Amino acid sequence: MFQDEGRFGRLSNPKRCWAPPGVRPHVPCQLVREYTYAFAAVSPKDGNLDSLILPEVNSETMSIFLDEVSQRHPNEFILMFMDRAGWHIANDLITPFNMALSYLPPYSPELNPAEPLWDEIREKAFPNLVFKGLNGVEDTLEHALAGLEKDPDLVK
């Protein structure tokens, strides 16, 4: 499996949208710097996706995510590939018994099949949306991730 994190928040990113000829679309925008993080592990061979939404990225939340993936696949041994973010190589990171960690080369996000998930989610679930609070971001993100988890062909 390949693991990655994506940051989602209330800092909107206006996208192109459809409007009738001669009508200029109104797209709301906001600059609120509040974020939540999506952790995902993907198996590109079978399209299996495991995800979790957590409030921050550090070795503690990474350990929680790895434990969650381990529990979802109790009868499998998982070789988890990830980048070399500080919380991935921290001394206090807890690796489950049925998992081994391996690291991708530095500065090579194109080698991680989990990376395109974030573009898919941002493009399909978050275009031109403004949220009143972080709960709205988390609800939208949860719905998008649940949809991807149920669609292994799209994940592949």
Side-chain angles (χ1 to χ4, degrees), residues 20-156:
V23 175
R24 184 176 212 142
H26 174 74
V27 177
C29 188
Q30 67 183 6
L31 299 172
V32 179
R33 287 179 171 84
E34 285 184 318
Y35 303 102
T36 192
Y37 297 87
F39 289 68
V42 63
S43 172
K45 180 181 178 194
D46 59 10
N48 187 30
L49 172 67
D50 297 320
S51 62
L52 199 57
I53 301 169
L54 295 166
E56 54 190 32
V57 287
N58 57 37
S59 59
E60 181 182 352
T61 56
M62 186 66 198
S63 296
I64 291 169
F65 176 69
L66 292 177
D67 185 56
E68 177 70 21
V69 173
S70 172
Q71 289 179 28
R72 290 185 188 186
H73 305 278
N75 300 322
E76 299 177 36
F77 184 81
I78 301 165
L79 178 57
M80 184 72 73
F81 290 93
M82 54 181 117
D83 58 27
R84 295 176 185 267
W87 50 91
H88 295 167
I89 58 175
N91 290 332
D92 58 344
L93 181 67
I94 301 168
T95 306
F97 71 95
N98 64 338
M99 188 178 295
L101 306 180
S102 189
Y103 300 98
L104 296 168
Y107 308 106
S108 58
E110 67 279 358
L111 297 179
N112 192 342
E115 287 281 347
L117 292 174
W118 311 132
D119 291 335
E120 176 74 15
I121 291 171
R122 285 185 178 97
E123 182 179 310
K124 303 279 172 53
F126 283 88
N128 299 330
L129 292 179
V130 171
F131 299 97
K132 291 184 180 180
L134 207 50
N135 288 340
V137 174
E138 290 172 348
D139 291 344
T140 302
L141 184 56
E142 180 181 349
H143 182 71
L145 287 168
L148 282 174
E149 286 187 16
K150 293 176 185 172
D151 192 353
D153 291 330
L154 179 61
V155 173
K156 276 197 270 188

